[in-house]
Amino acid sequence: MTIDPYSHTPVYVQLADLIRERIESGQLPPGASVGSEMSLSQEHGIGRDAVRMAIALLRSEGLVTTSRPLGTRVRETPPRRKVELAPGASVVARMPSGKERRSLQLDEGVPVLEVRDAEGNVEVFAGDEVELIRPPA
Amino acid sequence: MTIDPYSHTPVYVQLADLIRERIESGQLPPGASVGSEMSLSQEHGIGRDAVRMAIALLRSEGLVTTSRPLGTRVRETPPRRKVELAPGASVVARMPSGKERRSLQLDEGVPVLEVRDAEGNVEVFAGDEVELIRPPA
DNA sequence: AATTATTTGTCCGTATGTATC
DNA sequence: CGATACATACGGACAAATAAT
């Protein structure tokens, strides 16, 4: 798999696709490093900007996290706890705002579940920590 | 509201916060342009890098979309249709993979809802198009 | 139908700061 | 302490896509 600078899809999207595939195939397991910006730039013959944008895209999808000076690693996802959805409740999924993300201490790329119960009370859950359940009849 | 380059919060986060506020307040309605990278750079006296990072952040939150040469515009969100959650079903929220996003024609920053019914069949919904419902008892 | 203007995509260089080993 | 690697931020330059004319 190589990157084609003449393709109509942006180079940074191509690199993100490539790395995403390696993560989803298990070739890059949770905790594994995806390589430094420098090495990725050199290995694929692309610029620093493209590498950084690719990494930022993967971060925004919740697939990786980056820290100094370890670099970018495949994100380890927490176990999900089951939450029962009450009768008359409704739920929507969306990305948190910046403030919300910081206050809930969510990683980038983690959606939230907004649950509204029959009385109109709203509760927000981290999307990677819960699994909503409607119990069997 | 101005941007303070000496603040401890990064310039690009400040700009993203500023634009986000204008979007959420309705000052920038859906479809409106948030301005080109160049103009934002000049108006706020910051570099193009910072502008690009702010825009990328807002894109990852599903607030804007960008294209050439129209630039970045406030995303128009479709109306949500109600989908009933069957008894015994469970649902998780996550970000779509790149392929998934393209095949579902989702904008960046739009999560998906993965619904598994009692028989184990899985269905994936665009997170900005549906509202899951558990009917009142 | 062809051209132009606009805007983003991508490259590169430089610099400072910060966190970790 | 020094080496590493990313985060942030500025600057310039050209290529590519497409809306507008």
Side-chain angles (χ1 to χ4, degrees):
Chain A
M1 188 70 138
T2 48
I3 283 173
D4 173 16
Y6 301 106
S7 164
H8 51 88
T9 62
V11 171
Y12 79 92
V13 174
Q14 291 183 59
L15 178 58
D17 286 348
L18 194 156
I19 297 175
R20 192 188 301 105
E21 212 161 287
R22 288 184 184 169
I23 293 174
E24 287 171 353
S25 74
Q27 190 180 336
L28 282 173
S33 170
V34 306
S36 72
E37 293 177 352
M38 238 352 191
S39 65
L40 288 172
S41 169
Q42 290 173 344
E43 282 165 25
H44 298 97
I46 63 181
R48 188 198 350 131
D49 284 15
V51 172
R52 284 181 65 75
M53 292 197 68
I55 300 291
L57 187 54
L58 294 172
R59 247 199 323 265
S60 82
E61 293 173 5
L63 289 179
V64 302
T65 58
T66 111
S67 63
R68 283 174 295 185
L70 287 184
T72 300
R73 308 177 155 270
V74 181
R75 185 165 165 271
E76 324 213 14
T77 58
R80 291 181 190 272
R81 68 178 194 277
K82 297 189 198 313
V83 172
E84 184 178 323
L85 198 63
S90 69
V91 44
V92 301
R94 58 171 176 78
M95 295 309 287
S97 74
K99 259 187 203 156
E100 215 174 4
R101 189 179 67 239
R102 290 188 283 268
S103 74
L104 293 176
Q105 292 191 301
L106 295 177
D107 281 340
E108 254 185 76
V110 176
V112 294
L113 284 165
E114 198 176 277
V115 176
R116 180 182 304 267
D117 68 21
E119 285 80 40
N121 303 310
V122 174
E123 195 169 0
V124 175
F125 297 96
D128 64 343
E129 287 178 2
V130 306
E131 177 181 4
L132 295 179
I133 304 280
R134 198 251 254 214
Chain B
M1 186 69 144
T2 49
I3 284 173
D4 173 17
Y6 302 105
S7 164
H8 50 86
T9 65
V11 169
Y12 80 93
V13 174
Q14 292 182 59
L15 177 58
D17 287 347
L18 194 157
I19 297 175
R20 192 187 302 106
E21 212 161 289
R22 289 185 183 169
I23 293 174
E24 287 170 353
S25 74
Q27 189 179 338
L28 281 173
S33 171
V34 307
S36 70
E37 294 174 353
M38 245 342 198
S39 66
L40 288 171
S41 167
Q42 290 174 344
E43 282 164 25
H44 297 96
I46 64 181
R48 193 181 163 208
D49 276 15
V51 173
R52 284 179 65 77
M53 292 187 68
I55 300 292
L57 190 53
L58 295 172
R59 250 200 321 266
S60 80
E61 293 173 8
L63 290 179
V64 301
T65 59
T66 116
S67 64
R68 274 184 297 188
L70 286 185
T72 300
R73 310 176 154 271
V74 181
R75 203 168 78 84
E76 325 212 18
T77 58
R80 291 183 190 271
R81 67 179 195 276
K82 297 188 196 318
V83 172
E84 184 180 322
L85 200 61
S90 69
V91 43
V92 301
R94 58 172 175 77
M95 294 309 286
S97 72
K99 259 188 204 159
E100 219 173 4
R101 191 176 68 233
R102 287 187 281 272
S103 74
L104 292 175
Q105 293 191 299
L106 294 178
D107 286 333
E108 251 185 77
V110 177
V112 294
L113 284 165
E114 195 177 279
V115 177
R116 181 181 304 267
D117 68 21
E119 285 80 42
N121 303 311
V122 174
E123 197 168 359
V124 175
F125 297 97
D128 63 345
E129 288 179 1
V130 306
E131 178 182 3
L132 295 178
I133 305 280
R134 201 253 253 218

